[in-house]
Amino acid sequence: MQKTIYWIEGDGIGREIWQAARPVIDAALAKESELKLDWQELLAGEKAVAETGSPLPEATMQALRGAEVAMKGPLGTPVGTGMRSLNVALRQSLDLYACIRPVRHFEGLETPVKHPERVDMVIFRENTEDVYAGVEFAAQTPEARKLIAFLREELGVTKVGDAAAVGIKPMTEAGSKRLVRRALRFALDNGKQSLTLVHKGNIMKFTEGGFRQWGYDLAAEEFADLTCTEKEPVPGRLVIKDRIADAMFQEALLRPEEYQILATPNLNGDYISDALAAQVGGLGLAPGVNMSDTLAFYEATHGTAPTIAGQDKANPGSVILCGALMLEHIGVPRAAERIRTALGKAIAAKAVTVDLAAQVTGARVVGCREFGEIVGANL
Ligand code: NAI
């Protein structure tokens, strides 16, 4: 039995983190299953430019369009190609509409809060709409002036000054519902107790308020027997609740144990993912996955770390934990748990890469390769 995993090495520290991570992922799987991973490399970034002249060759896109599972290291933004970001290009052209980030604490990592272990959340962030849609016009340009004139003359909007830069915040019912549907399914499949819609609907009534309402509607339309609301709780059912985004930031610090699954529009999700990852001391360790209806695309959430590339200093933890998420997704959750426990043990034993040294009292700093070997041995 084989499962094809497409993978992109990535730029900068990409090569070394993969060299450390892949053996861990394969070994964890071998301990729990007959299944083997058939790793198929796809070219992107600098390696692709060197071999094909293009940072994102058509062969890579074609393979990804037909793929079920792929993983990637970080990609630098190539200069002078006219492409803003390969990551954004991949997300948009593959319609990777859900960005999913689990956040939990590893014992031994010092963090800015007293009880980081109370955080155990999974954030589902809408990935294609909202102010990230890229519809924005610079101040004082003919485009901005034209839009402002249209607002004034056609819609009677007088409070946007002539000199303003303007952006558009599109949010749709379909786009919001498919994100909430995915979060809801995950919550139900994993026996969670609550799902929280995080929005600013008090201020942005139709966009963010729409997200909130569409979220509740979706739960009532498609999951009526399995869900309830906070106001009318039903024992044994998943509670759907909502929080205004700024209040959610307070709650995340004050009562994190009351939140398990967050479903958010794009911008709120961007902020809260990083805030929560920092709260558990694990920004550099955070795994993530972007999903379409057909593809799960796992990615290290950090960048290419060019200043330490090739020096065996990088932390391969994010890719290793991406591997755990991937193994869970392909149906081997016990292998995933093995990886998390093994990585947790390495940190608890104070063996960490240099980026985490300041967060572990009495740390023994190890290189990228050694960290991978320790996690592998702990499996
Ligand atoms: P970065 O994440 O590469 O680096 C920020 C800081 O964290 C640096 O001090 C770096 O040394 C350190 N760091 C990052 N990952 C680390 C790891 N695994 N182990 C140890 N230390 C680590 O962010 P930066 O400098 O803003 O971006 C560098 C390049 O990466 C840019 O070209 C950017 O576009 C790209 N990038 C790509 C991302 C992706 O592919 N998902 C995400 C963020 C940035």
Side-chain angles (χ1 to χ4, degrees), residues 242-299:
D242 74 278
R243 293 291 180 271
I244 291 171
D246 42 286
M248 187 63 229
F249 277 83
Q250 294 181 16
E251 293 286 281
L253 285 166
L254 300 173
R255 282 175 283 277
E257 63 281 2
E258 291 179 15
Y259 299 89
Q260 299 180 311
I261 307 292
L262 306 183
T264 82
N266 210 336
L267 181 63
N268 301 337
D270 194 3
Y271 293 156
I272 200 130
S273 311
D274 275 17
L276 282 169
Q279 195 168 321
V280 297
L283 257 178
L285 274 177
V289 55
N290 291 300
M291 290 193 174
S292 70
D293 283 330
T294 51
L295 172 64
F297 200 172
Y298 297 82
E299 71 170 349

Side-chain angles (χ1 to χ4, degrees), residues 1 71-72 78 86 94 102-103 111 118 148 163 182 194 210 219 233 251 264 272 294 297 319 338 341 364 368:
M1 283 195 303
M71 300 184 71
K72 65 179 272 298
L86 290 178
L94 297 167
V103 188
T111 84
R118 291 184 187 163
I148 293 164
R182 194 175 267 279
S194 72
E251 293 286 281
T264 82
I272 200 130
T294 51
F297 200 172
V319 183
R338 256 184 206 274
T341 307
R364 179 170 80 84
C368 180

Side-chain angles (χ1 to χ4, degrees), residues 30-110:
K31 288 190 185 292
E32 295 292 350
S33 168
E34 299 289 299
L35 188 69
K36 295 255 179 310
L37 301 178
D38 171 26
W39 295 91
Q40 297 276 345
E41 185 171 5
L42 299 176
L43 294 176
E46 287 168 19
K47 205 171 174 181
V49 172
E51 292 187 27
T52 72
S54 158
L56 198 52
E58 182 46 32
T60 294
M61 289 310 295
Q62 208 172 335
L64 288 171
R65 277 186 216 110
E68 272 176 56
V69 184
M71 300 184 71
K72 65 179 272 298
L75 291 170
T77 304
V79 181
T81 63
M83 194 176 274
R84 261 178 62 203
S85 152
L86 290 178
N87 295 306
V88 174
L90 282 167
R91 278 173 213 158
Q92 288 178 349
S93 53
L94 297 167
D95 195 26
L96 298 166
Y97 65 83
C99 173
I100 303 160
R101 296 244 197 125
V103 188
R104 55 158 282 191
H105 177 245
F106 285 98
E107 194 195 325
L109 265 193
E110 286 156 30

Side-chain angles (χ1 to χ4, degrees), residues 13 72 74-77 87 299-306 308 314-315 355:
I13 57 173
K72 65 179 272 298
L75 291 170
T77 304
N87 295 306
E299 71 170 349
T301 52
H302 53 73
T304 59
I308 58 164
N315 183 352
D355 55 307

